[in-house]
Amino acid sequence: MVRYIRTTAELTADLVELERQIAHLRVQQAVIVNELDRGQARLTDASRTTAEYVQSHADVSTATARDLVLVGTTMGHHRTVNRDLAAGRITFDRAVVTLAHLASHASDEEMAQIADLNLEDARRRLASRKRLTLGDEHSLHARRHFTAQPSLDRTHYRLWGEVPGYEGALIEKAVVERADEFQRQSPDVATNRGQRQADALVAMAQDSLDRREEERDDPNPGGPTVTVFVDARETEPTETAAEVAFGPRVGPVTLESMLCSGSVRVVGLEGDQPVSSSASSRAIPPAVRDAVALRDGGCTIDGCRSRYRLQPHHITPWSHGGRHEMDNLTTVCWYHHHVAIHRSGYHIDPESPPRRRRLLRPDSSRGRIPRSHDPP
Ligand SMILES: [Zn+2]
Ligand SMILES: [Zn+2]
């Protein structure tokens, strides 16, 4: 049997022809996107921009969605590009770069130079010749905003906003650096980049609040900073009806974590009546906290050098019968404590040495993970 093998020249010709067909389809999409933009389709769902609408509905990347919007909304103003694209003389990517240069008011001379550049150089040229006018800067500055919106049941928040480039880069750098720090300290805690960045943002907010506490002449240093109301009759450890005074509702994980942090006062309720019950003894007494901190001197997780926001933690949780005893408490850094243990469900191996604590993975259901170097 003889197989027909295409030559390099034939393959290349096919590649180019297919790209021409892609351009043809993209132009049709761009025309549709332009109509969606004029019809304000973004208002029909939660999208803030047409690009966002296109991105979510067509399942394309942010860059592709932005390109489609750019071509769709500007193609009509530039007849040459329009004609070249329709005739298949330029690719869709080339049209995007050309239109972007035209939109940033490139001169005819510059446009001629750009036509001779490869796409990457043409894109770079675009970034370097982008000039911000005073008016541009004012409007970027005026558009700045940040919103933290709680869900109706106050179980979670959505955060979004927009800031000018310089401030955005500053925020991004700070968040990324803090997230990387967490990863260095806890390489074996499984988190993705987005999760670590969210953790970083929380840590930064916590730092800011702590600084305020330090600056204020606190008449009651180390005293409770929040009050939590819990159902005094509650016995089930897997769900709680706890509520922070003037704040969000919290689940068992957050409650347990707040109790370790110490800056909390627990009030047991029966109906709406405060009662004296075991609930109020759930926070670690200050003297025990101090003694544990003195004994441990730093995070006790094996290999961790962090001294960031050290806190005592119950090795056997209160909800599983663990008590505020020295042997049941160990010092951990904020990331190991808050993120790895309480949020992600890792727990401390009670059999690990007191200064070199090991974490057990969440799926080990409070059992021990066999380790290759452990004796059988
Ligand atoms: Zn804890
Ligand atoms: Zn640690």
Side-chain angles (χ1 to χ4, degrees):
M1 197 174 87
V2 181
R3 242 177 80 207
Y4 172 64
I5 297 170
R6 287 180 289 176
T7 64
T8 302
E10 286 166 331
L11 285 168
T12 309
D14 286 354
L15 181 73
V16 171
E17 169 55 21
L18 286 170
E19 189 57 41
R20 201 188 61 77
Q21 292 177 26
I22 288 170
H24 188 64
L25 291 170
R26 285 288 189 215
V27 170
Q28 293 180 44
Q29 281 186 316
V31 170
I32 291 171
V33 166
N34 188 30
E35 276 184 48
L36 288 170
D37 186 63
R38 282 187 302 177
Q40 298 200 305
R42 66 193 160 78
L43 298 180
T44 61
D45 64 10
S47 305
R48 285 166 302 128
T49 61
T50 301
E52 204 177 281
Y53 182 88
V54 171
Q55 185 186 350
S56 70
H57 287 267
D59 195 21
V60 291
S61 70
T62 316
T64 304
R66 262 195 242 129
D67 290 353
L68 283 169
V69 172
L70 174 77
V71 174
T73 54
T74 60
M75 189 170 59
H77 310 307
H78 302 286
R79 207 180 287 162
T80 343
V81 182
N82 213 345
R83 229 174 4 198
D84 287 350
L85 200 48
R89 280 192 291 272
I90 56 172
T91 62
F92 188 76
D93 289 354
R94 175 67 66 179
V96 169
V97 170
T98 309
L99 288 168
H101 275 282
L102 287 167
S104 69
H105 311 293
S107 66
D108 290 349
E109 194 188 336
E110 284 170 314
M111 290 311 293
Q113 289 172 4
I114 288 152
D116 290 335
L117 294 175
N118 68 45
L119 277 175
E120 287 316 307
D121 289 342
R123 268 185 218 281
R124 258 195 293 280
R125 176 80 66 97
L126 185 65
S128 66
R129 68 178 296 282
K130 172 74 182 163
R131 294 277 178 273
L132 280 180
T133 64
L134 263 181
D136 291 339
E137 279 209 297
H138 280 152
S139 95
L140 282 172
H141 181 66
R143 285 213 309 266
R144 74 195 187 282
H145 69 276
F146 171 77
T147 310
Q149 192 186 55
S151 62
L152 276 180
D153 60 3
R154 292 181 298 144
T155 54
H156 61 276
Y157 274 71
R158 288 186 72 82
L159 315 174
W160 70 87
E162 180 181 327
V163 289
Y166 179 80
E167 287 82 354
L170 185 135
I171 294 171
E172 187 185 27
K173 184 165 188 278
V175 170
V176 166
E177 279 182 4
R178 179 63 74 94
D180 288 350
E181 228 171 83
F182 288 149
Q183 195 180 25
R184 276 198 303 278
Q185 287 159 6
S186 332
D188 41 353
V189 177
T191 50
N192 65 37
R193 190 183 168 80
Q195 290 170 336
R196 282 193 299 277
Q197 291 186 180
D199 299 337
L201 200 57
V202 174
M204 289 156 79
Q206 187 75 61
D207 284 354
S208 173
L209 291 175
D210 283 5
R211 195 198 53 199
R212 205 191 55 191
E213 295 275 304
E214 281 161 19
E215 282 168 0
R216 197 166 50 193
D217 286 333
D218 197 338
N220 182 18
T225 53
V226 280
T227 301
V228 192
F229 298 103
V230 299
D231 188 337
R233 293 158 301 189
E234 205 160 77
T235 49
E236 185 58 53
T238 54
E239 58 173 64
T240 58
E243 185 162 355
V244 176
F246 312 114
R249 303 190 70 76
V250 295
V253 164
T254 311
L255 180 62
E256 198 80 49
S257 153
M258 288 171 74
L259 292 170
C260 285
S261 81
S263 48
V264 64
R265 188 162 65 106
V266 184
V267 177
L269 291 179
E270 264 184 39
D272 53 4
Q273 293 298 313
V275 293
S276 62
S277 72
S278 67
S280 54
S281 59
R282 287 184 63 177
I284 306 170
V288 178
R289 303 178 65 82
D290 292 348
V292 171
L294 182 69
R295 180 195 65 191
D296 295 339
C299 181
T300 56
I301 303 292
D302 196 6
C304 182
R305 312 232 176 298
S306 175
R307 300 187 55 81
Y308 177 60
R309 209 185 297 290
L310 299 167
Q311 291 174 339
H313 169 72
H314 292 100
I315 297 168
T316 302
W318 182 271
S319 54
H320 286 71
R323 291 296 170 257
H324 312 310
E325 283 148 13
M326 294 291 284
D327 284 351
N328 190 41
L329 290 163
T330 194
T331 304
V332 274
C333 68
W334 182 82
Y335 191 80
H336 273 125
H337 191 213
H338 180 79
V339 179
I341 296 174
H342 285 293
R343 285 294 186 196
S344 310
Y346 285 77
H347 42 266
I348 289 177
D349 183 348
E351 289 166 46
S352 53
R355 298 301 170 93
R356 292 178 48 215
R357 292 295 188 183
R358 276 191 301 261
L359 287 176
L360 299 176
R361 261 181 264 127
D363 51 22
S364 61
S365 58
R366 305 209 71 78
R368 203 164 168 211
I369 298 172
R371 290 185 165 232
S372 51
H373 58 259
D374 279 347

PDB file of all heavy atoms in Angstrom, residues 221-234:
ATOM      1  N   PRO A 221      -5.242  44.475  77.429  1.00  0.00           N
ATOM      2  CA  PRO A 221      -4.412  43.822  76.424  1.00  0.00           C
ATOM      3  C   PRO A 221      -4.644  42.313  76.435  1.00  0.00           C
ATOM      4  O   PRO A 221      -4.738  41.698  77.493  1.00  0.00           O
ATOM      5  CB  PRO A 221      -2.984  44.170  76.849  1.00  0.00           C
ATOM      6  CG  PRO A 221      -3.075  44.572  78.279  1.00  0.00           C
ATOM      7  CD  PRO A 221      -4.459  45.092  78.496  1.00  0.00           C
ATOM      8  N   GLY A 222      -4.740  41.742  75.251  1.00  0.00           N
ATOM      9  CA  GLY A 222      -4.940  40.303  75.146  1.00  0.00           C
ATOM     10  C   GLY A 222      -6.351  39.873  75.459  1.00  0.00           C
ATOM     11  O   GLY A 222      -6.665  38.700  75.437  1.00  0.00           O
ATOM     12  N   GLY A 223      -7.201  40.818  75.767  1.00  0.00           N
ATOM     13  CA  GLY A 223      -8.586  40.491  76.073  1.00  0.00           C
ATOM     14  C   GLY A 223      -9.332  40.083  74.821  1.00  0.00           C
ATOM     15  O   GLY A 223      -8.817  40.208  73.718  1.00  0.00           O
ATOM     16  N   PRO A 224     -10.542  39.587  75.017  1.00  0.00           N
ATOM     17  CA  PRO A 224     -11.289  39.117  73.861  1.00  0.00           C
ATOM     18  C   PRO A 224     -11.589  40.252  72.893  1.00  0.00           C
ATOM     19  O   PRO A 224     -11.958  41.347  73.315  1.00  0.00           O
ATOM     20  CB  PRO A 224     -12.576  38.544  74.450  1.00  0.00           C
ATOM     21  CG  PRO A 224     -12.669  39.079  75.830  1.00  0.00           C
ATOM     22  CD  PRO A 224     -11.290  39.437  76.261  1.00  0.00           C
ATOM     23  N   THR A 225     -11.389  40.000  71.596  1.00  0.00           N
ATOM     24  CA  THR A 225     -11.706  41.022  70.602  1.00  0.00           C
ATOM     25  C   THR A 225     -13.029  40.717  69.911  1.00  0.00           C
ATOM     26  O   THR A 225     -13.615  41.587  69.314  1.00  0.00           O
ATOM     27  CB  THR A 225     -10.602  41.122  69.543  1.00  0.00           C
ATOM     28  OG1 THR A 225     -10.386  39.822  69.012  1.00  0.00           O
ATOM     29  CG2 THR A 225      -9.314  41.629  70.145  1.00  0.00           C
ATOM     30  N   VAL A 226     -13.467  39.473  69.978  1.00  0.00           N
ATOM     31  CA  VAL A 226     -14.781  39.155  69.412  1.00  0.00           C
ATOM     32  C   VAL A 226     -15.576  38.289  70.370  1.00  0.00           C
ATOM     33  O   VAL A 226     -15.024  37.525  71.163  1.00  0.00           O
ATOM     34  CB  VAL A 226     -14.699  38.394  68.059  1.00  0.00           C
ATOM     35  CG1 VAL A 226     -14.437  39.319  66.917  1.00  0.00           C
ATOM     36  CG2 VAL A 226     -13.696  37.276  68.123  1.00  0.00           C
ATOM     37  N   THR A 227     -16.864  38.430  70.267  1.00  0.00           N
ATOM     38  CA  THR A 227     -17.765  37.592  71.053  1.00  0.00           C
ATOM     39  C   THR A 227     -18.480  36.649  70.091  1.00  0.00           C
ATOM     40  O   THR A 227     -18.934  37.076  69.039  1.00  0.00           O
ATOM     41  CB  THR A 227     -18.791  38.467  71.789  1.00  0.00           C
ATOM     42  OG1 THR A 227     -18.075  39.372  72.626  1.00  0.00           O
ATOM     43  CG2 THR A 227     -19.730  37.625  72.627  1.00  0.00           C
ATOM     44  N   VAL A 228     -18.511  35.379  70.446  1.00  0.00           N
ATOM     45  CA  VAL A 228     -19.222  34.410  69.617  1.00  0.00           C
ATOM     46  C   VAL A 228     -20.372  33.827  70.416  1.00  0.00           C
ATOM     47  O   VAL A 228     -20.195  33.443  71.577  1.00  0.00           O
ATOM     48  CB  VAL A 228     -18.315  33.225  69.204  1.00  0.00           C
ATOM     49  CG1 VAL A 228     -18.986  32.410  68.119  1.00  0.00           C
ATOM     50  CG2 VAL A 228     -16.983  33.696  68.756  1.00  0.00           C
ATOM     51  N   PHE A 229     -21.518  33.765  69.795  1.00  0.00           N
ATOM     52  CA  PHE A 229     -22.665  33.136  70.440  1.00  0.00           C
ATOM     53  C   PHE A 229     -22.814  31.725  69.903  1.00  0.00           C
ATOM     54  O   PHE A 229     -22.817  31.520  68.700  1.00  0.00           O
ATOM     55  CB  PHE A 229     -23.936  33.944  70.147  1.00  0.00           C
ATOM     56  CG  PHE A 229     -23.870  35.338  70.675  1.00  0.00           C
ATOM     57  CD1 PHE A 229     -23.634  36.410  69.832  1.00  0.00           C
ATOM     58  CD2 PHE A 229     -24.013  35.577  72.042  1.00  0.00           C
ATOM     59  CE1 PHE A 229     -23.549  37.704  70.329  1.00  0.00           C
ATOM     60  CE2 PHE A 229     -23.932  36.879  72.537  1.00  0.00           C
ATOM     61  CZ  PHE A 229     -23.701  37.936  71.678  1.00  0.00           C
ATOM     62  N   VAL A 230     -22.884  30.754  70.789  1.00  0.00           N
ATOM     63  CA  VAL A 230     -23.099  29.385  70.324  1.00  0.00           C
ATOM     64  C   VAL A 230     -24.330  28.812  71.016  1.00  0.00           C
ATOM     65  O   VAL A 230     -24.714  29.259  72.105  1.00  0.00           O
ATOM     66  CB  VAL A 230     -21.878  28.465  70.588  1.00  0.00           C
ATOM     67  CG1 VAL A 230     -20.651  28.961  69.860  1.00  0.00           C
ATOM     68  CG2 VAL A 230     -21.598  28.352  72.080  1.00  0.00           C
ATOM     69  N   ASP A 231     -24.917  27.832  70.361  1.00  0.00           N
ATOM     70  CA  ASP A 231     -26.071  27.159  70.932  1.00  0.00           C
ATOM     71  C   ASP A 231     -25.580  26.264  72.073  1.00  0.00           C
ATOM     72  O   ASP A 231     -24.802  25.342  71.858  1.00  0.00           O
ATOM     73  CB  ASP A 231     -26.744  26.324  69.836  1.00  0.00           C
ATOM     74  CG  ASP A 231     -28.070  25.745  70.298  1.00  0.00           C
ATOM     75  OD1 ASP A 231     -28.251  25.619  71.528  1.00  0.00           O
ATOM     76  OD2 ASP A 231     -28.904  25.429  69.431  1.00  0.00           O
ATOM     77  N   ALA A 232     -26.010  26.566  73.302  1.00  0.00           N
ATOM     78  CA  ALA A 232     -25.495  25.856  74.472  1.00  0.00           C
ATOM     79  C   ALA A 232     -25.894  24.379  74.478  1.00  0.00           C
ATOM     80  O   ALA A 232     -25.260  23.559  75.115  1.00  0.00           O
ATOM     81  CB  ALA A 232     -25.984  26.531  75.748  1.00  0.00           C
ATOM     82  N   ARG A 233     -26.950  24.045  73.764  1.00  0.00           N
ATOM     83  CA  ARG A 233     -27.419  22.652  73.779  1.00  0.00           C
ATOM     84  C   ARG A 233     -26.746  21.820  72.696  1.00  0.00           C
ATOM     85  O   ARG A 233     -26.989  20.627  72.573  1.00  0.00           O
ATOM     86  CB  ARG A 233     -28.942  22.620  73.548  1.00  0.00           C
ATOM     87  CG  ARG A 233     -29.726  23.226  74.684  1.00  0.00           C
ATOM     88  CD  ARG A 233     -31.083  23.667  74.214  1.00  0.00           C
ATOM     89  NE  ARG A 233     -30.959  24.650  73.126  1.00  0.00           N
ATOM     90  CZ  ARG A 233     -31.977  25.340  72.639  1.00  0.00           C
ATOM     91  NH1 ARG A 233     -33.197  25.140  73.091  1.00  0.00           N
ATOM     92  NH2 ARG A 233     -31.795  26.213  71.681  1.00  0.00           N
ATOM     93  N   GLU A 234     -25.906  22.490  71.913  1.00  0.00           N
ATOM     94  CA  GLU A 234     -25.335  21.824  70.755  1.00  0.00           C
ATOM     95  C   GLU A 234     -24.332  20.740  71.143  1.00  0.00           C
ATOM     96  O   GLU A 234     -23.454  20.959  71.962  1.00  0.00           O
ATOM     97  CB  GLU A 234     -24.582  22.877  69.971  1.00  0.00           C
ATOM     98  CG  GLU A 234     -24.433  22.591  68.527  1.00  0.00           C
ATOM     99  CD  GLU A 234     -24.126  23.901  67.843  1.00  0.00           C
ATOM    100  OE1 GLU A 234     -22.968  24.319  67.948  1.00  0.00           O
ATOM    101  OE2 GLU A 234     -25.045  24.514  67.285  1.00  0.00           O
TER     102      GLU A 234
END
